[in-house]
Amino acid sequence: MSISLGQILLGTASAALQIEGNLPRTNWHDWAEAGHIADGTTPHPTTDHWNRWREDNELMADLGLQIARISVEWARIEPEEGRIDRAALERYREEIEDLRARGIRPMVTLHHFGNPGWLEDQGGFTVEESVGKFLGFVERVVSGLGDLVDDWVTINEPNVYATQGFMFGEGPPGETSWPKLRRVIRHLAVAHCEAYRMIHSLLDGPGRSVAVTFAHHVRHFEPMNPGNPLHRAFTRIDDELFHRSVEKAFFSGIFDAFVGKPSREIEPGRYADVIAVNYYSRTAVTGLKDGVFPGVETTDLGWEIYPEGIVEVSRVLHERYGLPIWITENGCADNGDADSLERFRCRFLLAHLEAMASSGLPFERYYHWCFVDNWEWSEGMVPRFGLVHLDRKTLARTPKPSARMFKELIQAGAITDEIRERYSEPR
Ligand code: BGC
């Protein structure tokens, strides 16, 4: 049976720090230098996209991508506080113009885990002044690129950024402080709400539809043992802290007791035009940390492959906020084996897309994470999330079977029996 993809546009997502290389100092450069990356790599050269962007755009066009989510790096555009690198902004313009000329609709993320070194030295988003500084940066970018871009993500995964850096200590600056965790979420939420209003006031006009949102990392939480009251309680707590409190502030400008009241006045209202979901996996809950049910199929990073989850988490958000849904990230670490570039990515993709297309929910976009194998933060270059294989020595790009399948799906506008048959089995 063929399943129509209906109105869902298909493309890929990426983040500047994970692909560009050649960047001025950021919080992640410091983190890498301090020895926190599993394979000892740094944010340079990653995939060297800064120099190879034309080749990447061309490959995206060859694959027929309809949409592309990219990010601009604050440190590159403002390498020192108050100094804007116009050439860098111009270079991003060129890249985005080229995407558009190839018929690929760009979406731009303004903050994807990276802080300029100078901001990090001042305490990053733990200090309130960061909000005004971020807004200054947003204004420069949106004034410089706004005529080319209708779709914006202000901040990527505030819950992941804050918990990694300030709760689990697994990302920069590697702290474990509840007061800082709450402050960071609060400041990011204020920054988002104000950026939402600013982008609209700069870009809205007759005949133009601008979409601004934040990318929400959502997991499907379930108690490891439903009979265990502690597991059940933590499932509620995790959902409340990791999703609800953060979400209320970002979607609605409602700051609850956990996030805390901001000192800048934010009117409760609507601060997102679409629900942007980054979905990867399900968590079997026993406490605050991630867990996996025994015996389930997992990716090379040990994350459960749970396609139904993409619909389950989106349904909850749709019931709460009633907006169209864009999957701004979904993907898997699949490093293949001796004979193949990947083992299960095609199956993973088909199962997630099929769940979305048959859900009855208003899914409009699917951005696969990611295009070319990239630098996976503290995991370094080892996990391969790309549709396109990166040779780590030569940096040569080779499309994987999943890339060919993606192209066929876009051409067919449907998951056909032929596609399913050709790509379902490991090859
Ligand atoms: C992040 C990406 C990351 C991906 C896979 C998401 O949480 O937004 O930057 O590479 O997960 O690990």
Side-chain angles (χ1 to χ4, degrees):
M1 197 186 56
S2 170
I3 299 177
S4 166
L5 291 170
Q7 58 180 351
I8 306 173
L9 299 179
L10 264 48
T12 55
S14 63
L17 247 164
Q18 295 178 269
I19 59 170
E20 286 182 355
N22 300 284
L23 276 162
R25 190 189 136 225
T26 68
N27 50 340
W28 279 92
H29 288 73
D30 295 353
W31 187 247
E33 230 159 70
H36 293 296
I37 310 302
D39 62 0
T41 54
T42 72
H44 182 76
T46 63
T47 80
D48 193 31
H49 174 79
W50 189 248
N51 292 315
R52 296 170 197 243
W53 64 271
R54 269 186 209 283
E55 180 189 342
D56 285 340
N57 282 8
E58 201 175 311
L59 201 47
M60 283 187 182
D62 284 350
L63 296 179
L65 301 194
Q66 297 162 307
I67 48 178
R69 175 180 171 219
I70 65 166
S71 84
V72 291
E73 197 57 47
W74 187 354
R76 184 175 308 279
I77 293 174
E78 192 175 356
E80 290 155 38
E81 187 171 1
R83 181 172 75 78
I84 298 297
D85 183 341
R86 287 176 197 289
L89 211 46
E90 198 40 51
R91 161 52 190 74
Y92 279 125
R93 263 195 85 81
E94 228 186 315
E95 178 175 348
I96 294 169
E97 271 170 348
D98 185 70
L99 280 175
R100 286 171 52 114
R102 295 176 191 276
I104 302 171
R105 187 183 167 110
M107 174 182 223
V108 171
T109 304
L110 293 157
H111 187 275
H112 195 128
F113 296 169
N115 293 334
W118 57 262
L119 186 85
E120 199 66 0
D121 293 340
Q122 299 168 11
F125 280 94
T126 63
V127 295
E128 198 176 355
E129 290 69 28
S130 57
V131 174
K133 292 175 188 185
F134 177 69
L135 292 170
F137 160 70
V138 172
E139 190 174 2
R140 299 309 282 257
V141 174
V142 176
S143 309
L145 306 177
D147 57 321
L148 302 175
V149 181
D150 291 331
D151 306 329
W152 298 88
V153 168
T154 55
I155 291 164
N156 182 68
E157 302 188 345
N159 51 357
V160 172
Y161 171 85
T163 50
Q164 290 291 306
F166 299 93
M167 181 169 156
F168 300 122
E170 291 170 354
E175 297 191 32
T176 48
S177 154
W178 278 85
K180 284 192 184 173
L181 171 73
R182 296 177 59 219
R183 278 208 315 264
V184 166
I185 294 174
R186 183 160 70 242
H187 296 150
L188 287 174
V190 173
H192 161 75
C193 292
E194 299 220 348
Y196 174 88
R197 294 260 186 267
M198 180 198 284
I199 298 171
H200 275 297
S201 77
L202 287 170
L203 301 185
D204 283 351
R208 185 161 190 203
S209 170
V210 173
V212 185
T213 189
F214 73 105
H216 194 20
H217 182 101
V218 197
R219 308 189 63 83
H220 185 74
F221 289 125
E222 264 181 54
M224 175 74 91
N225 171 5
N228 183 324
L230 211 62
H231 294 185
R232 288 202 306 271
F234 268 110
T235 301
R236 282 195 301 276
I237 294 169
D238 287 359
D239 184 49
E240 189 59 40
L241 298 184
F242 195 68
H243 296 148
R244 280 308 293 268
S245 305
V246 176
E247 208 172 284
K248 271 184 289 184
F250 279 75
F251 276 115
S252 318
I254 295 172
F255 291 73
D256 69 9
F258 171 64
V259 177
K261 291 276 160 276
S263 52
R264 287 178 185 229
E265 186 70 25
I266 299 291
E267 281 282 306
R270 186 153 71 75
Y271 293 96
D273 303 310
V274 295
I275 298 166
V277 171
N278 290 5
Y279 171 78
Y280 286 88
S281 187
R282 164 166 79 163
T283 295
V285 178
T286 53
L288 291 175
K289 278 248 171 191
D290 274 356
V292 177
F293 287 102
V296 297
E297 188 185 9
T298 60
T299 71
D300 291 348
L301 280 177
W303 303 354
E304 180 182 356
I305 300 178
Y306 184 66
E308 305 90 301
I310 202 165
V311 171
E312 286 160 3
V313 300
S314 300
R315 194 182 302 285
V316 171
L317 289 168
H318 185 63
E319 277 163 11
R320 285 180 193 153
Y321 303 102
L323 299 165
I325 307 152
W326 294 4
I327 299 299
T328 35
E329 283 182 35
N330 170 246
C332 54
D334 176 359
N335 283 30
D337 54 33
D339 309 314
S340 61
L341 294 181
E342 54 191 359
R343 289 182 296 127
F344 48 80
R345 182 172 291 99
C346 290
R347 246 187 322 120
F348 178 100
L349 250 163
L350 287 176
H352 285 78
L353 285 173
E354 195 164 325
M356 288 165 61
S358 24
S359 68
L361 289 174
F363 287 107
E364 294 181 347
R365 307 268 179 102
Y366 177 86
Y367 294 87
H368 189 73
W369 185 273
C370 55
F371 182 59
V372 179
D373 294 333
N374 66 4
W375 190 69
E376 276 294 324
W377 310 111
S378 293
E379 305 288 343
M381 295 299 290
V382 173
R384 293 184 179 275
F385 277 83
L387 294 178
V388 175
H389 178 270
L390 179 79
D391 181 311
R392 295 199 192 105
K393 285 209 181 71
T394 64
L395 304 182
R397 278 88 159 131
T398 311
K400 301 176 189 176
S402 57
R404 293 198 291 278
M405 184 185 81
F406 211 54
K407 178 176 184 168
E408 289 178 32
L409 288 169
I410 294 169
Q411 280 169 346
I415 305 171
T416 63
D417 288 339
E418 294 73 33
I419 295 177
R420 209 182 280 114
E421 233 162 76
R422 237 194 324 279
Y423 294 99
S424 279
E425 289 311 311
R427 26 179 39 233

